[in-house]
Amino acid sequence: MITLLPLDSRPCNHSWIVKFGEMVQSPIQIFPAKDCGNLQQGLRHELLDAWFDRVLPQTTHLIVSADALVSGGLIQARLAQFDLEVAKQRIQRLIDFKTSHPQAKVIVFDTIMRTSITSYDAETSRYWHLMNLYSLALGKAKKQPSESHEQQVRELERQIPEFIRETYLLARAKKHEINCYFIDLVEQGFVDDLILLQEDSMSEGIQSFEREILVHKIKEKQIEDQVSVYNGTDEGSAVLVAKVLLEQKQRSLRLHLHLPSDEVLQKIQPFEDRPFGENLANMLKKMNIESVSHDSEADVELYIYTELIPYDLDLASESYPHPNRDASFHAFFHSLNQAIKAGKQVAFVDLFFPNGGSPELLDLFDYTQLVAYSAWNTSSNALGTMLANLVMIHVAPKKHPMMKQFLIERILDDCVYQDRKSVV
């Protein structure tokens, strides 16, 4: 039995996983949504302990969000609302379970803290922007020490209340220590698999130094096959549940990837800090999904649309984004249409801009014939959810109505509801 402690109560972390279980007719023990953390409060650990007591005896694969276990949820982790010793006591539950059930798999996903704070209202939205600049300034000052960089840091410190800065830096330090602790647990054999997911970031932010330390530690301990580091967060539960199901069903999934050009693999997507191709490769490797070079070898034709210069989200702008309709654009959508007409299994990930899909792109093909669609939030969020969805479709014993329902939900939510025209 798969047991999941999700990141929090949001649909991407909870109800989507329940729907995936329905698709494959494999029930998943998941901590109740009403007891999970949310924007206002974290989960209640006494309820979690009682739930663990009930479900762990039947568990063969335990998938755990470290933020939920340690802090009560993602938002709470960003506020440093946990004591490190108490955190390690909570993690001890995983160690005890692995010790008493050595054949069971303990799988953890943790986050490397984002470059800014959580935005709750107009005031915190203002500081969200300033804290992004502050993180960038700190990163530059550390990487290339200079008076101008130090001056920029000091200027931002004058604009940002001290308690916001101190909470942010304390949370970073605590989160980093927990990241390191889980790497140690992998080496010691108490955690079988670990993903460290980099939250919203930028390439030169302060988080890049933490990542370097973590990657060095992983290589030093020679556990690269067990620990992955890449961009993402909210797709973590879906990715790991899909990975386990693929292994349990003893199935393989082969994808034929289609991109407008190979050059887009080198581009860094909005809210991320490394090339798209690196994130894609790491996600495929973690899930044991194979990318094949010819459609005759593939189970699914996966079309991923993005551009060489990714369109960033700017809610202050009154302009509406339109794709660059060059030769590669037309070749990409011609190929997509041909694949649909040929009756192939076709899936589409829209990464033209973050936090929603483009109706203009959907108008170019018969999207009702897709097997899956994804366009929500960041590039890695959308990609990870898509890969998980494709695993469910592939390993399901038979076609389930939830598959079509989930496709419709994603088009309506990711594209129609989150259409850029609704926010400008």
Side-chain angles (χ1 to χ4, degrees):
M1 178 74 78
I2 298 174
T3 295
L4 170 66
L5 173 61
L7 182 59
D8 51 40
S9 61
R10 287 173 297 158
C12 56
N13 296 311
H14 204 285
S15 65
W16 293 5
I17 311 303
V18 175
K19 291 173 182 178
F20 286 162
E22 289 183 38
M23 291 181 195
V24 298
Q25 300 177 38
S26 293
I28 299 166
Q29 299 183 125
I30 182 168
F31 191 59
K34 64 182 179 60
D35 298 328
C36 287
N38 54 47
L39 184 62
Q40 285 76 34
Q41 62 184 25
L43 65 78
R44 290 167 55 189
H45 282 87
E46 67 273 18
L47 296 178
L48 177 61
D49 288 337
W51 183 74
F52 272 151
D53 289 339
R54 291 196 304 273
V55 302
L56 287 185
Q58 296 83 40
T59 297
T60 60
H61 294 78
L62 176 59
I63 302 173
V64 172
S65 160
D67 286 319
L69 178 67
V70 169
S71 310
L74 181 63
I75 302 301
Q76 292 71 34
R78 296 173 186 162
L79 297 174
Q81 292 179 345
F82 65 91
D83 177 84
L84 284 170
E85 288 309 309
V86 172
K88 291 181 180 179
Q89 290 172 19
R90 291 169 177 167
I91 295 170
Q92 185 66 38
R93 186 70 190 249
L94 306 185
I95 297 172
D96 293 342
F97 172 70
K98 183 65 176 178
T99 301
S100 60
H101 298 77
Q103 299 306 313
K105 299 295 185 183
V106 176
I107 304 166
V108 176
F109 64 104
D110 198 5
T111 56
I112 303 172
M113 189 171 153
R114 72 196 319 211
T115 56
S116 192
I117 60 174
T118 301
S119 175
Y120 299 97
D121 48 34
E123 183 178 10
T124 51
S125 293
R126 174 174 176 267
Y127 291 128
W128 176 88
H129 176 67
L130 288 172
M131 287 302 296
N132 261 325
L133 296 177
Y134 184 56
S135 171
L136 181 60
L138 287 173
K140 288 182 176 180
K142 189 169 183 177
K143 188 175 183 178
Q144 297 177 321
S146 69
E147 178 56 31
S148 62
H149 287 154
E150 293 293 341
Q151 184 177 352
Q152 186 178 14
V153 170
R154 290 193 296 269
E155 176 58 33
L156 287 164
E157 287 177 340
R158 284 193 288 270
Q159 299 178 58
I160 303 168
E162 184 178 6
F163 80 92
I164 291 180
R165 289 186 283 108
E166 288 185 350
T167 299
Y168 171 80
L169 294 174
L170 177 61
R172 292 215 73 89
K174 287 185 175 183
K175 277 294 302 171
H176 184 63
E177 184 163 341
I178 293 297
N179 292 158
C180 291
Y181 187 58
F182 273 110
I183 291 173
D184 291 338
L185 292 183
V186 173
E187 182 191 33
Q188 295 163 16
F190 295 115
V191 173
D192 298 281
D193 220 333
L194 173 65
I195 309 180
L196 298 176
L197 295 164
Q198 174 60 63
E199 263 204 284
D200 295 355
S201 58
M202 58 189 77
S203 58
E204 294 184 294
I206 192 65
Q207 88 291 337
S208 61
F209 295 95
E210 296 165 357
R211 186 185 76 227
E212 288 177 8
I213 293 169
L214 295 170
V215 170
H216 176 75
K217 187 178 179 74
I218 293 163
K219 289 181 178 178
E220 188 176 54
K221 295 179 179 296
Q222 299 182 342
I223 51 176
E224 295 98 323
D225 288 342
Q226 294 170 271
V227 186
S228 300
V229 184
Y230 57 82
N231 287 117
T233 290
D234 293 331
E235 79 296 334
S237 293
V239 162
L240 289 174
V241 167
K243 169 185 165 61
V244 170
L245 283 169
L246 204 56
E247 293 171 355
Q248 284 185 331
K249 305 290 185 182
Q250 296 183 321
R251 300 285 296 275
S252 61
L253 176 60
R254 296 166 298 179
L255 303 178
H256 185 208
L257 297 174
H258 299 262
L259 299 162
S261 67
D262 289 339
E263 286 82 359
V264 299
L265 293 171
Q266 303 306 316
K267 295 300 178 180
I268 297 175
Q269 297 286 345
F271 307 111
E272 298 187 346
D273 65 355
R274 68 207 73 178
F276 171 65
E278 181 181 329
N279 288 322
L280 174 61
N282 279 320
M283 213 174 285
L284 292 174
K285 180 181 178 182
K286 176 55 67 175
M287 299 178 74
N288 295 315
I289 295 174
E290 183 182 1
S291 174
V292 297
S293 58
H294 196 274
D295 59 358
S296 63
E297 306 170 305
D299 300 302
V300 179
E301 303 291 318
L302 179 56
Y303 285 79
I304 305 174
Y305 186 77
T306 186
E307 297 195 347
L308 284 174
I309 302 176
Y311 180 90
D312 208 341
L313 176 65
D314 180 8
L315 295 181
S317 173
E318 295 183 359
S319 63
Y320 186 78
H322 297 284
N324 180 21
R325 292 176 177 255
D326 57 11
S328 63
F329 173 93
H330 291 292
F332 177 88
F333 283 100
H334 175 74
S335 172
L336 193 160
N337 274 297
Q338 292 300 109
I340 289 177
K341 289 177 182 177
K344 296 179 180 178
Q345 296 272 93
V346 179
F348 181 60
V349 182
D350 180 357
L351 303 181
F352 177 38
F353 46 66
N355 295 311
S358 168
E360 185 174 350
L361 298 183
L362 281 187
D363 283 342
L364 299 173
F365 59 93
D366 185 358
Y367 54 81
T368 65
Q369 299 306 305
L370 295 173
V371 297
Y373 172 85
S374 186
W376 72 289
N377 218 353
T378 68
S379 170
S380 289
N381 293 158
L383 177 62
T385 303
M386 168 60 78
L387 295 177
N389 193 2
L390 292 178
V391 167
M392 304 306 156
I393 293 170
H394 187 59
V395 305
K398 60 182 180 180
K399 192 170 183 179
H400 192 281
M402 181 56 70
M403 296 175 186
K404 192 69 173 181
Q405 180 181 325
F406 195 72
L407 168 65
I408 294 170
E409 286 181 4
R410 298 276 54 76
I411 292 172
L412 290 176
D413 194 356
D414 294 11
C415 188
V416 179
Y417 177 71
Q418 298 188 59
D419 180 8
R420 288 283 72 75
K421 289 179 181 175
S422 67
V423 295
V424 296

